[in-house]
Amino acid sequence: MVFKFYGHSCFSLEVSGKTLLFDPFIRGNELAKDIDIQLVQADYILVSHGHEDHTGDLVFLAEKTKALVIASWEICSWLQKQGITNCHPLNIGGKKVFEFGKVTMTFAAHSSSLGDGTYAGIAAGFMLEAEGKTVYYSGDTGINSDMKLLGDRYSIDCALLPIGGNFTMDAEDAALAANYLKCDKVIGLHYDTFGYIVVNQEEAMKMFRERNVELNLVKIGGTTVI
Ligand code: NI
Ligand code: MN
């Protein structure tokens, strides 16, 4: 599975020959100015919650790529009103097998509304089981004890977690979350984009090392194999 980072919490995974794009937010991210949005591809777009820093380029990319959007019922309903009808709604704990693998929507301790104020359902994350691997993307969330349940329920190979603090877990909590998840490989997301979430990367690395978890901070535009 190849992970490609588009900045903030926007990334793609190449899975079973399909491109899964998560939380599209590129043009509003000064740090991602070298990404050409016209070149971003997707067969599926997975959306964790409604906030602008996760949906800023959702309508544009859903239109351009014709990808199937996987999101909460409320976000799917809002998309219909924007003319995007190729959607699959999920809610917390719900699972669906797609052609690339299985997706389960997971709980996130966060809020969720769209840029125009529309209620977007409950914030979520995704558990992906595909190619014999299990990958967890928490979405925006604080650390919470449900992560222990996920650690018991799944054998997680890699977790994609926010580390920026202020609106989500910081690196210290995300490292503990990785222990709750029984996962020793984390890719950090949701840091440095805005003043509120600037991270000292050396310190973040140290906090993960102390908990025997590998933290990978991928360069924007860069890739890594999961
Ligand atoms: Ni958010
Ligand atoms: Mn966010």
Side-chain angles (χ1 to χ4, degrees):
M1 218 178 273
V2 178
F3 168 97
K4 178 164 185 175
F5 192 37
Y6 291 114
H8 200 54
S9 289
C10 182
F11 58 92
S12 67
L13 294 175
E14 293 296 325
V15 185
S16 307
K18 300 292 172 189
T19 303
L20 281 54
L21 179 71
F22 290 74
D23 286 355
F25 169 69
I26 295 167
R27 291 176 298 185
N29 181 359
E30 178 62 22
L31 300 182
K33 62 180 184 313
D34 292 336
I35 302 288
D36 181 354
I37 196 163
Q38 299 294 341
L39 302 179
V40 175
Q41 295 184 354
D43 298 301
Y44 296 85
I45 302 176
L46 291 84
V47 184
S48 66
H49 66 297
H51 291 159
E52 281 276 295
D53 59 320
H54 300 257
T55 58
D57 291 312
L58 172 57
V59 170
F60 176 81
L61 284 171
E63 253 167 23
K64 189 178 93 71
T65 63
K66 313 284 180 225
L68 178 69
V69 179
I70 303 171
S72 70
W73 176 270
E74 290 81 0
I75 290 174
C76 290
S77 301
W78 178 83
L79 281 170
Q80 297 244 339
K81 290 179 193 140
Q82 323 300 315
I84 307 293
T85 54
N86 194 25
C87 300
H88 184 93
L90 285 176
N91 211 327
I92 309 299
K95 304 166 193 171
K96 170 76 182 171
V97 176
F98 297 93
E99 56 188 335
F100 58 83
K102 189 199 279 186
V103 174
T104 305
M105 187 172 262
T106 56
F107 170 76
H110 195 68
S111 58
S112 184
S113 57
L114 288 145
D116 61 6
T118 303
Y119 169 68
I122 190 167
F126 297 102
M127 191 69 72
L128 168 67
E129 295 167 272
E131 294 184 353
K133 295 220 156 123
T134 302
V135 176
Y136 171 56
Y137 168 47
S138 71
D140 281 8
T141 185
I143 189 170
N144 62 82
S145 55
D146 265 35
M147 291 170 172
K148 291 184 181 174
L149 172 67
L150 296 177
D152 286 342
R153 172 70 179 78
Y154 296 94
S155 177
I156 300 169
D157 296 289
C158 182
L160 312 168
L161 305 177
I163 62 162
N166 197 77
F167 302 114
T168 68
M169 298 186 281
D170 59 10
E172 186 180 19
D173 280 349
L176 177 58
N179 285 173
Y180 285 0
L181 294 161
K182 298 177 186 162
C183 173
D184 60 9
K185 221 176 133 190
V186 166
I187 293 176
L189 302 170
H190 212 274
Y191 63 95
D192 284 358
T193 320
F194 321 111
Y196 287 119
I197 60 172
V198 171
V199 154
N200 180 324
Q201 297 194 10
E202 284 301 307
E203 269 179 29
M205 291 295 200
K206 187 165 158 271
M207 282 167 182
F208 277 77
R209 264 198 312 274
E210 281 168 359
R211 292 200 175 273
N212 297 311
V213 179
E214 178 196 321
L215 173 64
N216 191 353
L217 299 177
V218 180
K219 203 162 87 327
I220 296 175
T223 60
T224 189
V225 175
I226 290 177

